[in-house]
């Protein structure tokens, strides 16, 4: 049976890619190919950017409230197709269906938040900045913006940016991850139904050539990127060279502290979800567990027991607790990190390498894996593994935990489980990562707060969504006015 070949969405039409280079899309649970994705080239990017550029003048003149009305329609269309999007997402990405539903919900929340444009995009004024002179700062849309997004959240991440960009009057080009292009294709099919003017939103499939086409294109005003830190660094640098606005969100190595006063039984479900949810492939996932004090052995015992109870399987099955990782390559990379942990002398408490799932001999599965007695300088305490592997670094006190957090190469997120307000305050105050959980394992800002880390986890000044995103997508034009 021949596999579906995906198309680009340009000018409200489904078009075959100019490039004839293609890649495979896999179902990570079955290990089978399910679609073919074009790897577009600069000609494909040129078509999409030209369509977006042509659409811009009329779209920017469309009143903000009228632009928002398209998003109201889109929200309804997404709700009607909610389950279908989640099913496609799980099929190509692997995460369990409830996680996929959660992701689609977070995507829709950004559409909802962006409809507040008529208050969120307002500028400011001051009369009489000098005698008889008034001053206004208007926020104006700028033109064509683009998103380049990762494989772990195929639906949501592009929508941390897209709804705000277009509701502010810009036009848009999305490049989905070539590993999971079907979800955004489904989303564009739904978007197509709401009757946006031609060229306001476009999608080009592909890999590096499409990214470079976007980065080099003189008509692209700004780029929102989410992915690994090396790619984020590349994007940030190239946007600097070509004079584009940029927000580039990178990787993570998140520490979760467990203080002696923590209520570990109440906290355990969220703790387990932090490390093993989405098979550890979240930029907010716990990666290092840092227990402190005399309850450490008890905490570790309960954590390992809870991890052992997770049911591994196809994410589409409602009973599954943890799905496969995203690709065979990702599984191999994680396996290599497990071997490295053993070589470097960490104690392997739980080994997920030999997990078998009945009926799925070819799936990219890995079970929960837990190392104890990890030291700060081991590779598994430093690199982003991006899988269901936990490094336990035992700490003497809160100062040691804070030092551990602040000496990682990444600064995306961190959490503390504690019963002490004093400990919580010190932790919140002193840690570098800019998404912090207190008795919360996944410190995920909702659409109305900014999303993004610090240090090597984020390059640029304006984060994803939140109120500030309107600054990224607009230029503040200041008018100083006097009438004689
Ligand atoms: P990735 O960096 O490999 O790919 C991200 C995007 O960049 C994809 O669209 C890909 O096609 C493109 N790309 C990859 N290599 C490129 C290159 N050399 N030149 C040009 N373009 C390139 O990331 P990934 O593996 O898809 O996603 C996982 C990573 O994303 C993890 O590091 C994770 O922490 C990170 N992530 C971060 C956040 C955050 O908010 N900070 C959120 C989600 C994921």
């Amino acid at each position: 049976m021949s596999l579906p070949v995906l198309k680009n969405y340009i000018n409200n039409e489904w078009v075959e890619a100019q490039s004839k280079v293609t890649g495979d899309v896999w179902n990570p649970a079955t290990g089978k190919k399910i679609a073919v994705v074009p790897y577009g080239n600069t000609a494909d990017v040129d078509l999409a950017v030209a369509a977006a550029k042509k659409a811009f003048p009329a779209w920017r003149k469309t009143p903000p409230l009228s632009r928002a009305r398209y998003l109201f329609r889109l929200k309804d269309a997404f709700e009607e197709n909610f389950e279908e999007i989640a099913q496609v997402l799980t099929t190509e990405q692997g995460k369990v269906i409830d996680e996929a539903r959660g992701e689609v919900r977070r995507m829709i929340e950004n559409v909802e938040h962006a409809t507040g444009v008529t208050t969120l995009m307002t500028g400011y004024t001051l009369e009489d900045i000098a005698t008889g002179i008034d001053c206004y700062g208007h926020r104006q849309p700028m033109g064509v913006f683009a998103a380049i997004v990762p494989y772990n959240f195929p639906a949501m991440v592009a929508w941390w940016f897209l709804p705000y960009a277009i509701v502010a009057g810009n036009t848009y080009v999305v490049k989905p991850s070539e590993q999971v292009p079907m979800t955004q294709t489904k989303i564009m099919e739904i978007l197509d139904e709401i009757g946006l003017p031609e060229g306001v939103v476009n999608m080009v499939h592909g890999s590096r050539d499409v990214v470079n086409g976007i980065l080099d294109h003189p008509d692209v005003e700004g780029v929102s990127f989410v992915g690994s830190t090396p790619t984020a660094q590349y994007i940030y640098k190239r946007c600097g060279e070509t004079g584009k606005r940029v927000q580039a969100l990178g990787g993570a190595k998140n520490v979760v502290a467990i203080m002696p006063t923590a209520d570990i039984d109440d906290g355990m479900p969220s703790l387990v979800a932090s490390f093993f949810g989405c098979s550890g492939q979240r930029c907010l996932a716990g990666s290092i567990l840092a227990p402190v004090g005399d309850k450490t052995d008890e905490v570790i015992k309960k954590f390992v027991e809870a991890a052992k109870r997770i049911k591994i399987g196809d994410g589409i099955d409602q009973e599954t607790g943890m799905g496969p990782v995203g690709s065979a390559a990702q599984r191999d990379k994680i396996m290599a990190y497990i071997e490295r942990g053993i070589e470097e002398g960490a104690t392997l408490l739980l080994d997920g390498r030999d997990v078998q799932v009945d009926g799925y001999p070819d799936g990219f599965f890995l079970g929960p894996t837990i190392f104890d007695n990890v030291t700060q300088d081991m590779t598994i305490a430093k690199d982003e593994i991006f899988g269901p592997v936990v490094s336990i670094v035992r700490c003497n006190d809160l100062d040691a935990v804070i030092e551990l957090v602040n000496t990682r190469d990444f600064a995306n997120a961190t959490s503390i489980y504690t019963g002490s307000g004093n400990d919580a305050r010190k932790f919140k105050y002193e840690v570098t990562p800019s998404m912090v959980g207190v008795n919360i394992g996944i410190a995920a800002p909702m659409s109305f707060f900014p999303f993004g880390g610090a240090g090597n986890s984020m390059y640029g000044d304006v984060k994803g969504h939140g109120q500030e995103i309107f600054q990224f997508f607009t230029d503040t034009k200041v008018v100083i006015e006097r009438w004689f």
Side-chain angles (χ1 to χ4, degrees):
M1 205 174 69
S2 65
L3 296 170
V5 182
L6 303 184
K7 291 185 173 170
N8 293 333
Y9 182 67
I10 298 175
N11 230 0
N12 293 19
E13 285 183 4
W14 292 99
V15 293
E16 271 178 32
Q18 303 286 307
S19 160
K20 297 304 157 216
V21 180
T22 59
D24 296 321
V25 186
W26 301 76
N27 177 331
T30 60
K32 302 252 182 311
K33 291 179 193 173
I34 49 175
V36 174
V37 61
Y39 279 17
N41 58 22
T42 45
D44 293 299
V45 175
D46 288 347
L47 284 176
V49 176
K53 189 181 179 194
K54 187 158 172 257
F56 177 63
W59 183 243
R60 77 157 281 196
K61 287 190 192 133
T62 306
L65 187 57
S66 303
R67 294 196 296 254
R69 286 188 184 120
Y70 287 99
L71 293 188
F72 284 115
R73 292 217 282 282
L74 190 57
K75 180 221 164 18
D76 287 346
F78 282 161
E79 295 290 358
E80 279 162 29
N81 293 277
F82 187 96
E83 188 59 23
E84 215 176 323
I85 304 171
Q87 299 261 343
V88 175
L89 199 168
T90 288
T91 306
E92 68 172 352
Q93 204 280 339
K95 65 179 67 175
V96 302
I97 188 69
D98 271 345
E99 290 166 342
R101 291 178 185 128
E103 180 181 341
V104 177
R105 178 56 55 210
R106 290 262 162 156
M107 175 185 81
I108 294 174
E109 283 165 2
N110 282 282
V111 176
E112 292 170 328
H113 182 221
T115 61
V117 61
T118 48
T119 47
L120 293 169
M121 193 180 156
T122 50
Y124 49 99
T125 71
L126 188 66
E127 282 184 334
D128 293 322
I129 57 162
T131 306
I133 300 180
D134 304 326
C135 192
Y136 318 88
H138 299 292
R139 289 199 190 287
Q140 295 196 331
M142 296 168 63
V144 182
F145 281 80
I148 299 160
V149 292
Y151 82 86
N152 63 329
F153 283 95
M156 173 184 76
V157 169
W159 291 77
W160 286 352
F161 313 105
L162 189 160
Y164 306 100
I166 65 165
V167 86
N170 302 287
T171 54
Y172 217 69
V173 178
V174 183
K175 189 207 83 70
S177 163
E178 63 276 31
Q179 198 177 312
V180 289
M182 295 170 73
T183 308
Q184 215 54 238
T185 300
K186 179 81 222 160
I187 287 166
M188 291 298 148
E189 283 169 12
I190 297 162
L191 177 138
D192 188 58
E193 291 166 15
I194 66 156
L196 268 172
E198 285 174 9
V200 171
V201 175
N202 307 275
M203 176 183 65
V204 182
H205 288 297
S207 171
R208 292 172 192 202
D209 289 349
V210 174
V211 172
N212 289 327
I214 290 170
L215 297 177
D216 288 336
H217 206 296
D219 293 331
V220 174
E221 295 291 337
V223 172
S224 301
F225 170 83
V226 181
S228 62
T229 287
T231 322
Q233 287 169 336
Y234 173 73
I235 302 276
Y236 188 63
K237 188 164 169 271
R238 290 290 307 278
C239 286
E241 284 163 2
T242 53
K244 297 188 194 320
R245 286 194 174 186
V246 59
Q247 41 185 186
L249 283 66
K253 188 74 184 173
N254 305 320
V255 177
V256 178
I258 313 289
M259 300 306 291
T261 51
D263 186 331
I264 199 61
D265 294 323
D266 276 354
M268 193 53 72
S270 69
L271 198 59
V272 169
S274 172
F275 286 88
F276 302 117
C278 297
S279 309
Q281 299 164 108
R282 279 198 277 226
C283 69
L284 297 175
S287 180
I288 297 178
L289 184 68
V292 176
D294 53 8
K295 284 205 283 187
T296 290
D297 288 333
E298 183 195 339
V299 168
I300 293 173
K301 187 164 172 281
K302 287 183 172 173
F303 183 66
V304 173
E305 280 166 6
K308 279 184 184 164
R309 284 195 293 271
I310 297 172
K311 184 171 181 277
I312 318 291
D314 185 347
I316 215 81
D317 175 354
Q318 188 65 49
E319 301 303 309
T320 299
M322 189 170 94
V325 297
S327 64
Q330 186 61 16
R331 183 191 51 193
D332 294 348
K333 187 177 148 198
I334 299 165
M335 298 270 242
Y337 273 117
I338 298 173
E339 270 143 39
R340 190 74 185 267
I342 296 166
E343 276 163 32
E344 290 186 357
T347 314
L348 189 54
L349 295 182
L350 189 61
D351 185 353
R353 287 175 295 176
D354 293 330
V355 72
Q356 301 291 334
V357 178
D358 281 349
Y360 294 84
D362 301 321
F364 313 140
F365 293 102
L366 266 175
T369 299
I370 303 176
F371 281 104
D372 196 1
N373 301 314
V374 177
T375 56
Q376 296 203 22
D377 53 347
M378 286 183 188
T379 308
I380 55 170
K382 292 198 294 197
D383 288 12
E384 180 180 45
I385 300 173
F386 219 54
V389 179
V390 183
S391 302
I392 300 177
V393 179
R394 294 168 178 245
C395 292
N396 288 334
D397 53 26
L398 184 56
D399 283 322
V401 176
I402 292 170
E403 195 210 316
L404 176 68
V405 173
N406 290 349
T407 52
R408 298 308 91 194
D409 268 351
F410 303 93
N412 208 43
T414 187
S415 294
I416 184 168
Y417 283 73
T418 181
S420 155
N422 205 31
D423 283 354
R425 183 174 192 281
K426 180 178 165 71
F427 186 79
K428 286 182 287 185
Y429 193 81
E430 293 186 15
V431 292
T432 315
S434 34
M435 293 181 276
V436 179
V438 177
N439 296 315
I440 298 278
I442 293 283
M446 290 186 74
S447 60
F448 23 94
F449 285 90
F451 194 114
N456 287 329
S457 294
M458 156 102 205
Y459 303 99
D461 335 273
V462 182
K463 299 183 176 183
H465 55 63
Q467 297 181 13
E468 295 91 327
I469 194 86
F470 282 93
Q471 288 173 23
F472 186 74
F473 290 122
T474 57
D475 177 48
T476 305
K477 182 181 281 180
V478 176
V479 179
I480 304 163
E481 189 173 285
R482 167 166 65 186
W483 292 94
F484 297 107

